[in-house]
Amino acid sequence: AQTVTQSQPEMSVQEAETVTLSCTYDTSESDYYLFWYKQPPSRQMILVIRQEAYKQQNATENRFSVNFQKAAKSFSLKISDSQLGDAAMYFCAYRSAFETSYDKVIFGPGTSLSVIP
Amino acid sequence: DAMVIQNPRYQVTQFGKPVTLSCSQTLNHNVMYWYQQKSSQAPKLLFHYYDKDFNNEADTPDNFQSRRPNTSFCFLDIRSPGLGDAAMYLCATSRDPPLAQETQYFGPGTRLLVL
């Protein structure tokens, strides 16, 4: 079974600085998708960024980028120029690309990010 | 705007008193999910519907049931809530077919309190 681990329960960053959130996962599959979701306090969860395992190029969305290391099974999220609105719980998630399995998303335990003005 | 709506946002019920949470979507997605999220934890999938096909997770208690009368609506029924069922309940949708690369769109959640 696949597992997702986020070893940092809490992180903090100064406004305008850069922070990296860690995520590791365990799988025997070769094809899958990885996601970072953001859940602000009392607000709904939204997708931040998505990475396809068969693509070597790291995904980037504006100030958010990932460092995907397939061999190491590592998928970290880098937030540049941190803003107060980035304060939230961040979940790393895994989804199999196999047709019989991809209805289920496996979430990590989350990292709570605080942004210091 | 197309979206996932959950009502109510906050629900208080008594121990053992049945409660129903609702979810509706204007995205016309064929797949709908119910998650339970306890404080500072990851969402835990309870079950999902692919059209009218119901898929229950193996470890979802029998106390939790679901109904999907049409594409737009899905309900979570908790037959006899216990104190341990107090949590945030998240509804999510994704497109048909449920492709691996598709994101799930989440509602704002219903926070359930059991007295």
Side-chain angles (χ1 to χ4, degrees):
Chain A
Q2 296 84 18
T3 58
V4 178
T5 302
Q6 293 177 250
S7 60
Q8 306 151 316
E10 296 179 351
M11 293 277 288
S12 62
V13 62
Q14 291 278 355
E15 196 175 4
E17 297 295 312
T18 296
V19 64
T20 298
L21 308 185
S22 301
C23 173
T24 58
Y25 57 95
D26 189 25
T27 183
S28 58
E29 298 175 335
S30 59
D31 198 13
Y32 47 87
Y33 293 81
L34 297 165
F35 307 84
W36 278 99
Y37 281 90
K38 171 186 178 182
Q39 187 178 37
S42 302
R43 296 181 63 185
Q44 65 200 89
M45 193 172 325
I46 58 171
L47 178 69
V48 174
I49 199 165
R50 169 177 54 219
Q51 175 76 42
E52 298 159 76
Y54 61 85
K55 286 189 176 180
Q56 291 188 336
Q57 186 174 4
N58 289 324
T60 300
E61 289 285 344
N62 300 314
R63 297 183 294 108
F64 298 87
S65 61
V66 297
N67 183 4
F68 174 49
Q69 302 290 329
K70 191 172 184 179
K73 296 179 182 174
S74 170
F75 182 61
S76 61
L77 174 70
K78 186 171 82 170
I79 306 174
S80 304
D81 186 25
S82 297
Q83 300 175 0
L84 295 178
D86 295 332
M89 183 73 84
Y90 286 82
F91 291 99
C92 179
Y94 171 102
R95 194 176 202 179
S96 170
F98 287 95
E99 187 174 341
T100 56
S101 304
Y102 57 53
D103 55 1
K104 185 170 182 176
V105 174
I106 300 167
F107 287 91
T111 295
S112 179
L113 178 67
S114 301
V115 180
I116 303 166
Chain B
D1 290 338
M3 59 197 328
V4 182
I5 302 161
Q6 290 188 245
N7 286 307
R9 294 291 307 276
Y10 299 90
Q11 176 74 57
V12 181
T13 191
Q14 291 179 327
F15 183 93
K17 184 176 181 181
V19 65
T20 295
L21 310 182
S22 72
C23 177
S24 64
Q25 52 122 343
T26 60
L27 296 160
N28 203 32
H29 286 172
N30 281 42
V31 191
M32 294 186 77
Y33 308 79
W34 278 106
Y35 290 89
Q36 180 192 64
Q37 185 181 25
K38 296 193 175 180
S39 181
S40 302
Q41 294 183 21
K44 177 182 179 300
L45 183 64
L46 296 173
F47 25 60
H48 76 278
Y49 276 93
Y50 182 8
D51 288 328
K52 287 188 176 296
D53 292 336
F54 177 70
N55 298 273
N56 197 32
E57 291 300 299
D59 57 354
T60 298
D62 292 339
N63 197 26
F64 291 87
Q65 304 286 323
S66 185
R67 296 171 284 133
R68 189 179 185 186
N70 54 53
T71 298
S72 300
F73 286 86
C74 195
F75 300 98
L76 170 62
D77 301 309
I78 308 176
R79 293 192 297 185
S80 181
L83 298 179
D85 297 327
M88 177 74 86
Y89 290 87
L90 301 175
C91 175
T93 73
S94 65
R95 287 199 295 188
D96 170 29
L99 300 177
Q101 65 266 35
E102 292 292 335
T103 185
Q104 292 187 358
Y105 294 83
F106 285 84
T110 294
R111 184 167 296 282
L112 178 68
L113 179 63
V114 181
L115 300 178

